Amino acid sequence: MTHTPAITGTGLFTPEQTISNAELVKAFNAYADLFNAENAEAIAAGTIEAKDHSSEEFIFKASGIEQRYVIDKSGILDPTVMHPLLRQRSDDEPSLMAEMGVDAAEKALAAAGRTASDVDLVICAASNMERAYPAIAVEIQKLLGIQGFAFDMNVACSSATFGIQTAADMVRAGSIRSALVVNPEICSAHLEWRDRDCHFIFGDVATATLIERAEDANGAYFEIKSTRCATEFSNNIRNNNGFLRRSRPDGVKDRRDMQFMQNGRKVFKEVVPMVSEHITNHIAEHGVQANDLKRLWLHQANKSMNDFIGRKVLGRAPEPGEQPNILQDYANTSSAGSIIAFSKYSDDLQDGEHGLICSFGAGYSVGSVLLQRHV
Ligand code: CO8
């Protein structure tokens, strides 16, 4: 006997600190000036390239981002540091990712009118884990007091939708009754804040989604009609940091490739058609027309990217509110972005209406979740 999976609750943890574009650019430019002064001779000799200033106008125009939330702004905005400064925690304390994840998960449980004892599985799906093991998901499971099992998974920006597919398939098959998919993203710790091409892109946040059998839902819910995941290898978004680092020549040096790197133009050009086609094919398989989609909750990387995808999928410019963006406030929060948009802008859908969550990013990877509201 199979069951119908449903999203019955979502939760969002937002850090207290924000960095505006103005603050970010001021710190970056101070860093660039310092760098250029320290390397004046090499720059004059042509062996090192001088660093150009960043600009608020460029950031807003290229991305639509106005600010980002971060766990620690003091280190990021210090031109002699340029990365977050986090307190060392003992092994007996909750890890940072687990703490953020628990906050979002508790909100998702409360939204669904559930407690930890109702949950069988925790998936921590995120683009980086703060340690190799034990799994962050197992720690979140323990902190919440959940029975059953837990595991981590990483599909970069698509982690949440791939996690939802994994959980929904298990609910459908009957191996679990319900699952929390948790997405704590500390993007600030793997962003290269010293690179003006990307220093504005990311922020920190955590989201959580509760997936249950539709028949168990306490109130209104979103039936998971279907999910679809796809991947295609690309080096255009890459981070070479990993456990082999110290075994490689120069591995522990301050190397640029040990943080987030991307060829943004190529990503834009290649991912927009991949995602538009993915969504179009996914809904067509279920006999859902583009005009039947009341809402698209897209990955939040770049405003014009989302405008393109919306226009391609709908065959017209999306109406305000049809495709809500949150990236102006949160920036790109990797796997959490589409879930933030979903959690903030989904309650008003009417009984029977359809919507689609879609995330995409490194891999390349793209995941979509077709939903129908039941009130
Ligand atoms: N200020 C002023 N000028 C700048 C700046 C700046 N900050 N940065 C670049 N410029 C200059 C460039 O040097 C260039 O100058 P020139 O024309 O003289 O060469 C000019 O501005 C234009 O630069 P670009 O061509 O790079 O600008 P774009 O218009 O293409 O915008 C974007 C850049 C915003 C990066 C855009 O290409 C984009 O958004 N692309 C898609 C990116 C995307 O979606 N990536 C997904 C990544 S997320 C993911 O998969 C998860 C990874 C895991 C998380 C990692 C967490 C850290």
Side-chain angles (χ1 to χ4, degrees), residues 100-178:
M100 295 161 69
V102 163
D103 184 283
E106 282 172 340
K107 288 172 182 157
L109 287 171
R114 292 278 170 217
T115 64
S117 61
D118 299 311
V119 181
D120 296 332
L121 163 67
V122 178
I123 300 177
C124 179
S127 52
N128 253 310
M129 300 300 158
E130 71 175 84
R131 62 168 179 265
Y133 41 81
I136 305 292
V138 180
E139 190 183 2
I140 294 174
Q141 177 197 1
K142 178 184 169 248
L143 290 167
L144 288 170
I146 289 172
Q147 303 295 311
F149 65 111
F151 58 89
D152 289 350
M153 56 187 278
N154 172 356
V155 202
C157 289
S158 301
S159 300
T161 49
F162 279 56
I164 290 172
Q165 165 161 306
T166 307
D169 284 350
M170 286 194 217
V171 168
R172 198 174 276 117
S175 58
I176 57 167
R177 255 196 118 92
S178 75

Side-chain angles (χ1 to χ4, degrees), residues 13-21 23 66-78 83-87 89 96 100 185 188 193 202-205 329-331 333:
F13 163 81
T14 303
E16 282 167 18
Q17 301 181 26
T18 56
I19 298 179
S20 67
N21 287 349
E23 289 175 288
E66 293 173 41
Q67 62 158 37
R68 67 284 299 138
Y69 290 90
V70 291
I71 299 290
D72 167 66
K73 67 191 279 186
S74 68
I76 295 168
L77 295 183
D78 181 340
H83 55 74
L85 292 171
L86 305 176
R87 176 177 72 79
R89 295 178 180 218
L96 182 54
M100 295 161 69
E185 292 286 8
S188 64
W193 297 92
F202 289 99
D204 302 335
V205 83
D329 301 321
Y330 283 86
T333 50

Side-chain angles (χ1 to χ4, degrees), residues 208-226:
T209 309
L210 184 68
I211 292 132
E212 300 185 84
R213 293 178 184 174
E215 73 214 44
D216 288 346
N218 260 334
Y221 62 91
F222 283 93
E223 177 185 339
I224 300 176
K225 301 291 282 185
S226 138

Side-chain angles (χ1 to χ4, degrees), residues 107-327:
K107 288 172 182 157
L109 287 171
R114 292 278 170 217
T115 64
S117 61
D118 299 311
V119 181
D120 296 332
L121 163 67
V122 178
I123 300 177
C124 179
S127 52
N128 253 310
M129 300 300 158
E130 71 175 84
R131 62 168 179 265
Y133 41 81
I136 305 292
V138 180
E139 190 183 2
I140 294 174
Q141 177 197 1
K142 178 184 169 248
L143 290 167
L144 288 170
I146 289 172
Q147 303 295 311
F149 65 111
F151 58 89
D152 289 350
M153 56 187 278
N154 172 356
V155 202
C157 289
S158 301
S159 300
T161 49
F162 279 56
I164 290 172
Q165 165 161 306
T166 307
D169 284 350
M170 286 194 217
V171 168
R172 198 174 276 117
S175 58
I176 57 167
R177 255 196 118 92
S178 75
L180 272 167
V181 179
V182 185
N183 322 106
E185 292 286 8
I186 314 172
C187 298
S188 64
H190 47 115
L191 175 58
E192 181 49 272
W193 297 92
R194 296 170 299 182
D195 181 347
R196 77 167 187 157
D197 287 343
C198 67
H199 76 124
F200 54 90
I201 295 182
F202 289 99
D204 302 335
V205 83
T207 49
T209 309
L210 184 68
I211 292 132
E212 300 185 84
R213 293 178 184 174
E215 73 214 44
D216 288 346
N218 260 334
Y221 62 91
F222 283 93
E223 177 185 339
I224 300 176
K225 301 291 282 185
S226 138
T227 56
R228 187 177 172 129
C229 296
T231 49
E232 194 179 304
F233 187 71
S234 166
N235 274 321
N236 286 327
I237 313 169
R238 191 169 169 120
N239 182 335
N240 281 332
N241 200 3
F243 79 104
L244 294 181
R245 188 168 183 178
R246 70 166 188 185
S247 60
R248 297 262 169 78
D250 293 341
V252 290
K253 270 204 175 155
D254 179 14
R255 270 171 43 178
R256 175 64 190 91
D257 65 325
M258 296 299 174
Q259 283 84 34
F260 167 85
M261 294 186 296
Q262 78 165 351
N263 189 336
R265 274 276 156 105
K266 272 201 170 153
V267 173
F268 197 109
K269 276 210 188 108
E270 293 172 2
V271 170
V272 166
M274 183 180 171
V275 172
S276 313
E277 208 178 307
H278 179 97
I279 297 175
T280 303
N281 292 341
H282 185 182
I283 59 173
E285 262 177 25
H286 295 277
V288 174
Q289 308 295 313
N291 273 332
D292 296 334
L293 285 179
K294 280 290 160 225
R295 201 140 309 160
L296 278 173
W297 299 282
L298 295 179
H299 174 49
Q300 303 285 313
N302 178 294
K303 184 176 180 302
S304 28
M305 205 170 188
N306 285 2
D307 291 346
F308 268 105
I309 294 168
R311 215 173 305 141
K312 263 240 136 110
V313 170
L314 300 174
R316 57 176 170 78
E319 300 287 331
E322 255 186 323
Q323 187 188 289
N325 281 328
I326 53 86
L327 57 81

